């Protein structure tokens, strides 16, 4: 049996398909500097946003099984697509607390404006998760969701400053600007990496909502509630990926400010709960 001090020191598990979740990790570094983190990037199988709901659920189950074996005290889904498609199901299947990113993002959006645009992966947009979450909180706001299939590959290929990326962003934002949105939600954790591009295309009056900020606030609250916030020094973040560790290390350095040590984990060899 764990004592509460061992629970305190246990890491938080965090996952995404790739480098998107680093936008959430950065928030953990800012808001919860004492927490140790295990970060998993399912880079062999990205992008998640064009996968079927069944595939996404299977991947999430595999990742959570692995996280459970690592004895994490809580899991942050640093991935909107997983939160939209799998959160409600896997919460019933696993004992550890699992935090999704959609609800904290929706709450923040509603406190910002009345004409809300959401940019998201095809799977998240199709799931309608943001519209549902926002309308449940405030049925009087208007929501427009845009599927942005090219963004994740462009971020993963580190083509942030490529003129092509600006053109793609312009075409995704156009229908939202026509609706005169006052708020734009990053409905995918990869998208805050595109902030300079997106900001340059939006009127300054449009507020940008980064759900990463708010899921980490929710995590801090949950750690307090459960009495397991770490009061000791954290361990260095442990990074694991399903694809090429060198590639992940190279692309992460610009977001992390240091070169991470990255290990490979082959999830499907671990067996999947059915
Ligand atoms: N960054 C993830 C999200 O927030 C997944 C993106 C993808 O792999 O398509 O949805």
């Amino acid at each position: 049996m764990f004592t509460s001090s061992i629970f305190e020191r246990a890491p938080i598990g965090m996952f995404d398909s790739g480098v998107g979740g680093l936008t959430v990790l950065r928030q953990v570094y800012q808001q919860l500097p004492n927490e140790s983190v295990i970060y998993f990037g399912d880079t062999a199988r990205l992008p998640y946003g064009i996968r079927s709901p069944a595939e996404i659920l299977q991947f999430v189950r595999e990742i959570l099984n692995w996280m459970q074996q690592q004895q994490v005290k809580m899991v942050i889904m640093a991935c909107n697509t997983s939160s939209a498609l799998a959160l409600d199901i896997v919460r019933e299947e696993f004992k550890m607390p699992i935090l999704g990113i959609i609800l904290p993002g929706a709450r923040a959006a509603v406190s910002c404006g009345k004409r809300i645009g959401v940019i998201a992966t095809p799977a998240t947009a199709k799931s309608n998760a943001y519209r549902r979450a926002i309308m449940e909180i405030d049925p009087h706001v208007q929501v427009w969701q845009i599927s942005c299939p090219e963004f994740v590959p462009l971020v993963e290929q580190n083509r942030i400053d490529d003129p092509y990326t600006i053109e793609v962003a312009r075409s995704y934002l156009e229908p939202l600007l026509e609706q005169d949105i006052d708020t734009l939600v990053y409905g995918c954790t990869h998208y805050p990496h595109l902030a300079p591009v997106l900001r340059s295309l939006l009127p300054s009056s449009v507020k940008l909502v980064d759900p990463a900020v708010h899921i980490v606030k929710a995590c801090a609250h949950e750690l307090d509630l459960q009495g397991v916030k770490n009061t000791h020094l954290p361990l260095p973040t442990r990074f694991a990926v399903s694809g090429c560790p060198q590639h992940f290390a190279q692309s992460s350095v610009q977001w992390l400010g240091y070169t991470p040590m990255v290990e490979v984990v082959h999830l499907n060899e671990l067996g999947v709960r059915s």
Side-chain angles (χ1 to χ4, degrees):
M1 191 61 194
F2 280 134
T3 69
S4 96
S5 153
I6 291 173
F7 260 134
E8 266 183 36
R9 287 173 195 256
I12 293 172
M14 186 182 292
F15 72 90
D16 179 42
S17 60
V19 295
L22 300 180
T23 59
V24 183
L25 181 60
R26 283 192 308 207
Q27 285 299 320
V28 171
Y29 289 161
Q30 279 182 29
Q31 297 185 42
L32 294 167
N34 288 336
E35 297 302 328
S36 305
V37 175
I38 299 183
Y39 184 97
F40 179 76
D42 200 359
T43 53
R45 303 190 285 199
L46 67 76
Y48 274 14
I50 54 168
R51 299 282 189 166
S52 69
E55 281 177 308
I56 294 163
L57 178 58
Q58 158 141 349
F59 299 164
V60 170
R61 281 182 173 142
E62 289 175 14
I63 295 167
L64 292 175
N65 266 328
W66 181 75
M67 289 286 180
Q68 193 162 263
Q69 287 166 17
Q70 311 312 307
Q71 302 189 327
V72 298
K73 62 182 172 187
M74 195 171 284
V75 173
I76 295 180
M77 281 191 175
C79 173
N80 290 264
T81 310
S82 305
S83 305
L85 278 305
L87 178 67
D88 294 343
I89 301 168
V90 294
R91 261 198 179 145
E92 304 290 314
E93 297 175 347
F94 290 85
K95 283 203 194 86
M96 65 241 179
I98 304 170
L99 305 184
I101 193 163
I102 307 266
L103 189 57
R107 285 201 183 113
V110 166
S111 70
C112 276
K114 293 273 173 224
R115 302 179 66 80
I116 300 171
V118 180
I119 47 175
T121 66
T124 301
K126 197 169 168 211
S127 76
N128 239 341
Y130 267 104
R131 186 195 304 280
R132 265 188 283 120
I134 290 172
M135 303 300 272
E136 254 174 48
I137 303 165
D138 183 351
H140 303 298
V141 298
Q142 283 182 283
V143 183
W144 294 271
Q145 298 172 115
I146 299 289
S147 159
C148 309
E150 292 207 61
F151 274 167
V152 168
L154 286 168
V155 171
E156 288 288 337
Q157 291 157 22
N158 200 14
R159 290 175 63 191
I160 314 279
D161 301 321
D162 190 328
Y164 177 74
T165 304
I166 300 187
E167 284 325 302
V168 169
R170 197 190 303 279
S171 73
Y172 290 151
L173 293 182
E174 200 176 78
L176 296 174
L177 293 176
E178 274 168 16
Q179 296 301 335
D180 207 16
I181 56 164
D182 55 24
T183 304
L184 180 69
V185 180
Y186 293 123
C188 169
T189 53
H190 280 74
Y191 300 173
H193 292 320
L194 294 166
V197 175
L198 296 167
R199 193 68 273 180
S200 75
L201 296 168
L202 291 166
S204 56
S205 57
V206 174
K207 294 186 202 93
L208 276 164
V209 173
D210 183 357
V213 175
H214 305 281
I215 191 177
V216 176
K217 276 190 192 157
C219 177
H221 183 66
E222 192 65 28
L223 291 171
D224 274 337
L225 271 183
Q226 309 227 355
V228 292
K229 206 174 229 176
N230 192 15
T231 49
H232 309 273
L233 283 176
L235 297 171
T237 305
R238 183 176 156 206
F239 291 91
V241 294
S242 55
C244 171
Q246 290 83 6
H247 177 80
F248 185 85
Q250 274 159 20
S251 34
S252 308
V253 63
Q254 63 182 312
W255 314 118
L256 291 170
Y258 63 88
T259 308
M261 298 263 293
V262 186
E263 63 194 272
V264 186
V265 171
H266 297 291
L267 289 181
N268 17 21
E269 286 166 16
L270 299 169
V272 191
R273 290 156 62 115
S274 57

